[in-house]
Amino acid sequence: MTNSNMEVLSPAGSPESLTAAVRAGADAVYLGGASFSARASAKNFDDDELKAAVEYCHTRGVKVYLAVNTILLQNELQKALDFIRFACALPVDAVLVQDTGLIWLLQKCAPGLRLHASTQMSIHTPCGAVALEKAGLKRVVLSRELSLKEMAEIHAATPIELEAFVHGALCMSVSGQCYFSSMLGSRSGNRGLCAQPCRLPFSVPGGTGHDLSLKDLSMICRIDELGQAGIISAKIEGRMKRPEYVAAATRACRLAADNQPVPEELLQNLSAVFSRSGFTTGYLDGKLGRDMFGVRSKEDVTGATNDVFSELHGLYNNEYQRIPIDFILTIKKDKPITLQVADGQNNTATASFGDIPELAVNRPIDEARCAEQLKKTGGTPFYVDTITCEIDDGLSIPVSTLNKLRRAVLDNLEATRGKHPPIPFEMCQIPQANNHMAKKMKLRARFANADLPESAKKCELVYLPYNTDLKKIQELKEDGYHVALEIPRGLFGMENAVRSRLKDAKDAGVTDVWAGNLGAAQLGKELNFRVHGGFSLNITNSAAIEWYSEFGLTDTELSFELTLQQAAAMGGELRRGLLLYGRLPLMLTRNCPAANAGGCQNCKTDPLLTDRRGIQFPVQCSGACSEVLNSVPLYMADRVKEVRNQDFGVLRFTTETAEEAEEVIGRYLTGAPNEGEFTRGLYYRGIE
């Protein structure tokens, strides 16, 4: 029985884990199908298993959220819609999404389907949540890096439901903004195939040698604080983990959500079954630094003994009784004995075996004896709230008859509860591919500071940091540079300050901004800028182009996880472009790797992160986040003719001096080859 307004949401990476979650007290589970799940390596559910899972959960009053939370390529849209049409027939209670193209399609195909924004959408500001609420989504799974204060600010800005992770792994990168695995081995985290390179040795001077590996998060004993911040669903990470872990985390969260003490032994067993040097609440408290970093040590592994697993397995041996029921028992002379049950949710069932009660020889049946038998609902998800007995005097029935009636009527109620009406789904037309014909491609350039080369005047737009001195911007504009401002990709806690600075820039005559996340795009739109979408919006199909076109972007960069061929085939009228030069950002992280070496205060010099082979990756701190950059730049100047159907190409300068940038722009204007080390990125090899 639960008594909390906080939903306990548990992972179900397999049918076994689903049973563990439900029996340990979950209010809802999230799971994936065979495709399009951000945990592609979990066992997941085939169609038959998914159907059985939904019936099992609905019978027990547990909601099912289907994770279809990867970016989708154009040729996958139809398959994704077919799968979700099947899920609507079951029906699932909501679909968890990342891809805006899928959102665009589902709102046409199944307007009655609840959509939840995955944490892969990188929502971490009030504007980001507002944008999705306006777009019709019902819930946002917030970025893991938010503090309680920042969550409360988002809650105050919009009525959309907020979900937050309460226990489990912390990625070093903001979810949806990590390209490390795809760049190193084509296994995209945005496709559910992350190879977790961050858990390998990477070091900054003075660090521990594992400076991209964070401890796991645990807020179990502080769930009430999440509720006060506006969170309505406490989410447990772990679709890759075994059922015992799921059961332990679920039961601990269940107790905490119900304001009951969580046994210390349970917390110790949960830590033993999986942790990385213990747990952290760093982000939630607004505290960054070395204390948040950790690895899976030998002690962590050996703590998970058979005794621990055996004890945790006992948490889900039996049904969790969460559904209150009311019985009405009728025992009348010369009439069949009848038992009715209702669950308070308009579900009822009746059982009657046709047995006629006999006249009592000794002790007649009474209400107390009937209630004693009817209350024995162990082994079912039901517990008795009220029993009403209508019994004529002087009658007798066998106890076995009461037991048979109870079992039969509860079986009937379970069958009724497992049947929900399907969600209407009408297949809609997928936006056409291969129908965008760009004119001659123009160049744009992005700089980390306002020290610009002369050749940047030849670019149709020059992106500078949002906080560039306004007097300097005016000088550059007067000198012939077409200046736009870059809103940071990581805006944690910065939205009001950035808004104020952008208002000043607007008053000074700036008309264009670059937005690499949905919150930044919404902010720019609210301030009436021309908004240019960035690569990190993760646009990979024509339907996503349509969504952002309707949203109001002026134009957008496409994801650099596309091949050139895939990018060329994108349909729609919205102008688009690709990154053609620069050290690609592999991670956007709120915790600078240098913080594991004693602290980062917006590093005055760019730290270098070194992997186990001696390869170095620069780190740049800006605003509320840091970017881990690739070891070598993307270079496409000598392959520009192979970049088709793009309206513009972007040169992204990060570590380069003005002189080096001058040389690079010159090569792109002439198509010259590069002389140093470089990469072609994913434009020819693509992602899985």
Side-chain angles (χ1 to χ4, degrees), residues 122-130 146 154 491-493 495 517-520:
S122 313
I123 301 302
H124 60 274
T125 62
C127 271
V130 166
L146 285 162
I154 294 173
L491 282 168
F492 296 91
E495 188 173 271
N517 64 70
L518 186 56

Side-chain angles (χ1 to χ4, degrees), residues 299-354:
E299 291 75 15
D300 294 325
V301 175
T302 56
T305 64
N306 289 334
D307 288 343
V308 169
F309 283 122
S310 177
E311 186 170 343
L312 294 181
H313 192 280
L315 294 175
Y316 60 99
N317 280 338
N318 301 310
E319 289 275 8
Y320 186 86
Q321 294 182 294
R322 71 175 66 247
I323 305 163
I325 54 173
D326 301 311
F327 279 130
I328 299 177
L329 176 65
T330 303
I331 304 175
K332 296 290 184 179
K333 184 179 180 181
D334 299 328
K335 291 185 178 180
I337 305 164
T338 302
L339 181 62
Q340 294 177 296
V341 65
D343 63 3
Q345 298 175 338
N346 298 319
N347 296 305
T348 62
T350 302
S352 178
F353 292 135

